[in-house]
Amino acid sequence: MLQSLTDSGRIVRAFSYSLKGLRAAYRKESAFRQELILAAILLPLAVWLGRTGVERALLIGSVLLVLIVELLNSAVEATRSEERRVGKECTHRCR
């Protein structure tokens, strides 16, 4: 267990997989691209408009939460479309 927590190769691989997923979302999901562009505008604005650290954290956190929810929504949509595709194949084979 301790070995797996300190395995730097595992951490690097996990990070590279995460970057590949973000790149794929950027390439394939137009809504994610739009929200990423808005985040690039809103994050500096949040730092500038927030008067205290708590306000800044809340503003930045809400922008990041929108991006996370969009990624989750994309994952659900992809899973659902794959489910439909597999279901149709199964239906055709069962007949």
Side-chain angles (χ1 to χ4, degrees), residues 47 52 58 62-63 67 85:
V47 172
T52 65
L58 289 172
S62 62
V63 171
L67 292 173
R85 187 187 66 78

Side-chain angles (χ1 to χ4, degrees), residues 19-50:
L19 285 180
K20 285 180 185 178
L22 288 173
R23 272 191 234 121
Y26 183 79
R27 273 187 266 121
K28 296 180 182 181
E29 298 293 330
S30 62
F32 182 70
R33 281 193 301 272
Q34 291 170 352
E35 290 171 1
L36 202 58
I37 291 168
L38 280 173
I41 296 167
L42 293 175
L43 288 174
L45 196 60
V47 172
W48 184 59
L49 289 176

